[in-house]
Amino acid sequence: MGNKYFMKAGMYMLKCKADYEADIAKSRDNRMKWWRDARFGMFIHYGLYSQLGRNEWAMALENYDIKEYERLAETFKPKEGTIRKWAELAKKAGMKYMVLTTRHHEGFSLWDSKVNPYNSVNYGPKRDLVKEFVDACREFDLKIGFYSSLMDWHHEDSWKCAFDREARIRFTDYIKELNRELMTNYGKIDILWYDVPRPMESPEGWNSLELNQMVRELQPHIIINDRSLLPEDFGTPEEHLTPGEKDWEACMTFNGISWGYIDSEQAKPYSYTPQQILRMIQKVTAFGGNLLLNVGPKPDGTIPEEVIEPLTKVGIWLQENGKAVYGQKDKIGNTNVCGICNVTSEDKILYVWDIIWPSNNSLVIAGICNAQLKEVKLLKDDTPVDFIQDGHRIILKNLPDTNPDQSVGIPVFQLEFDKKPKCNRASYYPQLNMGQTFL
Ligand code: GLC
C-alpha cells in the first residue's frame, strides 16, 4: 500500500490526509442530513467558571493561580434535575440538538474521567454531568453534541507543548484519551465540537488526523467541526452569521457578552429578543447554515431568566411556522421581495416572513417575473389570502387590520408558484432590469 497508510501498533489502519478527507466526503451528505434539516441548536456553557459569573475565560483573564482556582471544584454544586431542564427548554424552543461543554479551557471534566481526575465525579457534585446531559437529550429526542476544548489551563503541558516535543506528545495523547472516553462511554454521539486549537497552530501539531480517525472509528456517524484545524464537516463563524463555502453553523452567545453565566438581570438589556432570534434563523436558513444559540446556566445549573421567555416564544412560533425553517431549503441569500419582509424558499414555495404588519391591508411583493402564482395562505393555519399578480408585482389583498401572529409578530405567508420563482429586482426603471437573480 506504499506510504499512504500506516499501522500504529495495536491500532486500526490510519489513512493519509487526502484519503481520509476523500473518505469522509463520501459519507458527508448522509451523515449531515439530520443536521442540515435541524437548523437550530442549543449551546450550553457550564463549568467551574459559572460560579464566578465573570465570563468563561475568568481563570485566564484574571490570572488565577491554579491552586486558588481549583477551590471552585469543591463548591461546584449543580442542583439535581437542572440538566434535564436544559433539554426540556431546548425542545420547547424548537431546537433539534444540543452541544455541552464537556470540558472547557479550565480543564475540569464534567464526566467520570479516568484520564483526568479533576472532574465532577471526584469533586463538587460527585456526579457524571455528561451522563445526565446525554440521558436528558435522549429523553427529549435531541441529538447530542460534545464540546471539547483543545486548551487546558489546568494541565502543566498545555503551554510547554508549544516548544517542548515531549510535552507536546504527552499533551496531545492526553487530549486524545479524553476524547476517546467521551466517544466510548456515552453511546451514540452526534457532534464533536472542538474549540481553540492553541498553542499549536497546525493539524500536524495536534495530530488531528490521527485524533479524528480515532473519533470516527468509535462514532462512524459523527459530525466534526473545523476547530481541530482540519476542515472536517462544518465551519463555525462565531458571533456573526457569515456563510461559508461548505456547511456552516453560527454560534452565538445570548447577549453578545459571555458564553458562561453572567448576571441575568444585567444581561437582559443586551439579550436577544424572539424577533432578533428569528431574524438570525431566517438568515441562516436563507444562506444554508445553522444557528447554535448559547445558554450559560447559573452556578447551580438553573436556567438564566434572560433566555426563558425569548426561547419559549421562538418555540411557539416554530411550532406554527417551522415549515419555513426546517428541512432542506434553497440557498437564496438576501432576497428583498419587499422592504418589510425576509424570505426562505423551497422549490416552488416562497415563505415570506413579514417583519412589519402593513397598515393598508395589503402587501406588495415585487420582482418575480418567471413564475405564475397559484395560491397564497397564512402558513400557521392555512388561512387563504387574496392576491393579484400584475407583471412583476404581487399584491396580497384584504389583509386583516391586526397582525395574525400573536406570539412574535412575524407572520409567514406561503406563496406557491407553478415553478421555482426567480426574483429579478426590477428597479425604478423597469427597462433596466438589473438582471439580479436571487432565487
Ligand atoms: C471562543 C471562546 C470560548 C467559547 C467558544 C464558543 O472560542 O474562547 O470560551 O467556548 O468561543 O464558540
Side-chain angles (χ1 to χ4, degrees):
M1 291 197 202
N3 62 359
K4 285 200 309 179
Y5 298 86
F6 55 95
M7 172 69 85
K8 298 278 285 186
M11 282 183 63
Y12 42 85
M13 190 78 84
L14 272 174
K15 300 182 185 82
C16 69
K17 187 168 183 286
D19 290 341
Y20 168 71
E21 291 187 340
D23 264 6
I24 58 174
K26 282 181 210 147
S27 63
R28 180 162 294 124
D29 285 344
N30 184 39
R31 284 184 292 111
M32 295 196 72
K33 179 171 183 344
W34 74 263
W35 186 90
R36 292 166 177 162
D37 291 351
R39 195 72 63 205
F40 187 29
M42 180 183 279
F43 213 165
I44 291 278
H45 274 72
Y46 188 57
L48 303 184
Y49 50 80
S50 306
Q51 299 172 83
L52 301 174
R54 300 194 299 272
N55 190 295
E56 75 287 349
W57 272 64
M59 180 177 171
L61 298 176
E62 299 176 18
N63 262 326
Y64 266 84
D65 166 82
I66 287 185
K67 286 295 170 209
E68 182 192 357
Y69 193 86
E70 279 177 349
R71 288 204 289 268
L72 288 170
E74 287 309 345
T75 54
F76 184 49
K77 300 287 185 192
K79 276 185 186 159
E80 296 278 356
T82 48
I83 294 176
R84 182 180 177 281
K85 290 212 176 289
W86 303 345
E88 188 176 47
L89 177 61
K91 190 71 175 184
K92 201 171 170 186
M95 294 160 153
K96 302 293 185 184
Y97 61 99
M98 295 181 79
V99 178
L100 167 69
T101 51
T102 60
R103 183 187 117 277
H104 205 261
H105 315 332
E106 65 186 8
F108 187 76
S109 293
L110 301 187
W111 76 92
D112 184 15
S113 173
K114 301 299 177 253
V115 173
N116 177 16
Y118 188 47
N119 70 56
S120 64
V121 170
N122 292 340
Y123 298 91
K126 304 256 193 296
R127 290 163 27 212
D128 187 325
L129 304 183
V130 166
K131 173 80 172 59
E132 293 179 24
F133 171 72
V134 166
D135 291 346
C137 286
R138 291 186 178 130
E139 179 186 346
F140 288 96
D141 191 26
L142 295 163
K143 294 286 191 180
I144 298 166
F146 286 168
Y147 165 110
S148 181
S149 179
L150 294 171
M151 284 205 291
D152 192 308
W153 299 326
H154 187 262
H155 194 291
E156 61 176 2
D157 289 327
S158 69
W159 54 274
K160 286 183 204 166
C161 60
F163 49 81
D164 174 330
R165 185 179 175 280
E166 292 308 313
R168 188 183 72 79
I169 292 170
R170 287 193 303 268
F171 187 60
T172 51
D173 280 350
Y174 172 71
I175 292 290
K176 183 173 185 180
E177 292 315 308
L178 287 173
N179 286 291
R180 187 195 302 278
E181 287 185 330
L182 289 170
M183 296 295 115
T184 304
N185 300 338
Y186 297 96
K188 184 171 183 291
I189 304 306
D190 302 292
I191 302 164
L192 180 55
W193 215 101
Y194 288 115
D195 195 23
V196 193
R198 202 177 295 170
M200 280 76 78
E201 297 176 343
S202 72
E204 293 75 17
W206 287 101
N207 298 339
S208 297
L209 187 60
E210 184 177 331
L211 173 61
N212 292 348
Q213 288 187 60
M214 173 207 71
V215 165
R216 292 188 188 276
E217 188 78 15
L218 294 167
Q219 297 281 347
H221 305 290
I222 202 160
I223 295 172
I224 301 176
N225 77 353
D226 61 351
R227 294 193 181 185
S228 66
L229 298 177
L230 289 173
E232 297 298 353
D233 295 316
F234 66 94
T236 53
E238 181 175 310
E239 293 286 63
H240 56 91
L241 305 176
T242 309
E245 290 306 311
K246 61 181 191 182
D247 287 285
W248 61 284
E249 171 195 73
C251 56
M252 306 294 287
T253 58
F254 208 86
N255 44 48
I257 302 169
S258 172
W259 298 93
Y261 175 69
I262 50 174
D263 178 71
S264 213
E265 272 316 299
Q266 296 183 66
K268 264 184 185 169
Y270 310 99
S271 300
Y272 288 118
T273 63
Q275 291 78 6
Q276 288 167 322
I277 295 169
L278 285 174
R279 297 196 72 188
M280 289 195 286
I281 290 175
Q282 181 276 327
K283 179 161 185 187
V284 298
T285 306
F287 282 85
N290 282 20
L291 175 65
L292 185 65
L293 185 56
N294 182 70
V295 172
K298 295 182 178 180
D300 66 358
T302 52
I303 296 167
E305 291 77 13
E306 72 176 291
V307 313
I308 295 172
E309 186 188 343
L311 287 181
T312 302
K313 286 193 169 180
V314 164
I316 293 167
W317 189 94
L318 283 169
Q319 274 181 342
E320 296 174 342
N321 302 288
K323 269 180 74 181
V325 172
Y326 301 124
Q328 288 307 284
K329 293 289 178 291
D330 300 326
K331 290 182 189 173
I332 54 169
N334 278 324
T335 312
N336 302 314
V337 292
C338 80
I340 51 172
C341 298
N342 293 124
V343 170
T344 55
S345 100
E346 185 179 353
D347 194 26
K348 298 175 184 173
I349 301 286
L350 209 58
Y351 297 106
V352 176
W353 304 36
D354 180 11
I355 308 294
I356 301 294
W357 189 248
S359 57
N360 60 352
N361 304 102
S362 68
L363 189 66
V364 177
I365 291 160
I368 295 166
C369 315
N370 74 310
Q372 193 63 40
L373 182 56
K374 293 166 57 183
E375 180 189 32
V376 181
K377 57 188 182 182
L378 194 62
L379 178 59
K380 65 181 270 192
D381 58 16
D382 288 344
T383 304
V385 175
D386 298 338
F387 69 90
I388 55 172
Q389 184 172 16
D390 168 18
H392 70 79
R393 298 183 97 208
I394 289 167
I395 302 171
L396 308 188
K397 297 171 29 181
N398 306 324
L399 298 176
D401 293 337
T402 52
N403 188 326
D405 178 53
Q406 294 309 307
S407 62
V408 179
I410 302 181
V412 177
F413 295 106
Q414 175 175 303
L415 280 63
E416 184 173 355
F417 293 86
D418 65 347
K419 66 179 78 160
K420 186 182 177 65
K422 290 191 183 315
C423 180
N424 286 324
R425 171 57 54 232
S427 71
Y428 283 112
Y429 306 97
Q431 71 278 15
L432 292 183
N433 180 328
M434 293 157 61
Q436 282 177 294
T437 302
F438 293 100
L439 291 179

